[in-house]
Amino acid sequence: MGKYGDQKSPKEIMILLSKNIIVLRKQEKMSQKELSERSGVAYATIRKFESTGIISLESLLKICEALKRLTDFESILLPSDIKRKKDLFNY
């Protein structure tokens, strides 16, 4: 078992995120250039992210906003009691 046990390493998650963004971008029939224009993130940054997984949080959030997936981030890293209440009341 590796350093992270059964969990993915940070680098593996970065690569997974970049691959997911590629799929979402292509589903929207959007080029990297168009995503750059819509998100305000430099074209070179998008190219680098899609090939390496490396990107700033701000740029990742801008890309997600352009792909209409920004709300996906609202539920990550919530303290467990808040998440439990949200799940209970479905909001």
Side-chain angles (χ1 to χ4, degrees):
M1 208 177 310
K3 179 178 177 181
Y4 297 99
D6 291 338
Q7 295 180 346
K8 290 181 175 55
S9 70
K11 181 64 177 173
E12 289 170 322
I13 292 170
M14 291 165 58
I15 296 295
L16 180 63
L17 283 172
S18 70
K19 288 181 180 185
N20 290 346
I21 290 293
I22 292 168
V23 170
L24 291 171
R25 176 178 61 75
K26 289 181 177 182
Q27 283 178 348
E28 294 292 322
K29 297 178 177 35
M30 203 181 303
S31 68
Q32 289 177 331
K33 187 74 171 163
E34 188 176 358
L35 180 57
S36 170
E37 291 166 1
R38 288 187 185 189
S39 66
V41 175
Y43 172 67
T45 299
I46 291 172
R47 279 189 15 235
K48 180 180 177 184
F49 172 58
E50 288 191 0
S51 65
T52 66
I54 297 170
I55 195 165
S56 73
L57 178 59
E58 181 180 14
S59 292
L60 178 59
L61 293 174
K62 286 178 178 182
I63 289 169
C64 289
E65 182 176 38
L67 294 170
K68 302 176 185 98
R69 299 299 295 261
L70 187 59
T71 57
D72 292 354
F73 281 89
E74 291 178 357
S75 63
I76 65 169
L77 301 176
L78 283 175
S80 58
D81 60 326
I82 293 174
K83 182 165 177 25
R84 213 173 27 250
K85 289 174 186 173
K86 283 189 172 201
D87 289 343
L88 180 64
F89 295 108
N90 293 322
Y91 70 95

